[in-house]
Amino acid sequence: EVFRITRKKGTERAFTGKYWQQSSKQGVYNCRCCGEALFATEAKFDSGTGWPSFYQAMHNESIAEHADNSLFARRTEVVCAKCDAHLGHVFPDGPAPTGLRFCINSASLEFADSADSVENEEGKDQN
């Protein structure tokens, strides 16, 4: 499934992915293929579409956009700028402050909880 989505430009079914629902956990959504930091939980919102949605990327240079005219529609594909993994699409119907909706496949993401990151860093200091 991850290969089909990230390398063959597939799409998971709505409301089935691991990250489509809102969570109270704080952290970062990284590229599943290369680990690049892509989206922060602060930019995640419930779009009602069944896919994880964000109003902005963590860093503009973390993602790249390409025209996608497949399926008889004009869309803008979003890929990881580091490894070219297909992430999803971006649409101009999101909330403020950007007005964008990055509609991303859960299978292309790996969540890193901020609490886990802090605990891991503290554990390294003690060793």
Side-chain angles (χ1 to χ4, degrees):
E1 180 78 343
V2 172
F3 182 82
R4 182 183 69 78
I5 290 170
T6 61
R7 300 302 175 201
K8 299 291 186 180
K9 302 183 186 296
T11 301
E12 64 199 9
R13 288 184 314 134
F15 304 102
T16 63
K18 184 175 181 179
Y19 303 121
W20 76 270
Q21 293 180 305
Q22 290 299 101
S23 171
S24 60
K25 291 184 179 181
Q26 296 298 303
V28 174
Y29 292 89
N30 300 308
C31 176
R32 182 75 167 271
C33 297
C34 72
E36 179 75 7
L38 300 173
F39 301 98
T41 53
E42 292 81 11
K44 191 170 191 270
F45 69 99
D46 182 1
S47 66
T49 61
W51 287 279
S53 297
F54 305 87
Y55 60 78
Q56 69 184 15
M58 282 190 66
H59 309 286
N60 289 336
E61 54 276 351
S62 297
I63 60 167
E65 298 178 4
H66 305 292
D68 177 359
N69 296 315
S70 65
L71 303 175
F72 306 104
R74 286 187 175 187
R75 301 179 296 175
T76 302
E77 177 191 18
V78 178
V79 299
C80 174
K82 186 174 179 181
C83 74
D84 204 39
H86 172 75
L87 304 172
H89 293 86
V90 62
F91 301 96
D93 60 1
T98 65
L100 299 174
R101 174 175 53 94
F102 290 88
C103 190
I104 307 298
N105 291 290
S106 290
S108 65
L109 301 173
E110 189 67 46
F111 181 70
D113 190 320
S114 293
D116 291 343
S117 298
V118 170
E119 289 172 13
N120 288 339
E121 290 301 316
E122 289 173 354
K124 288 179 187 175
D125 292 342
Q126 295 172 0
N127 292 330

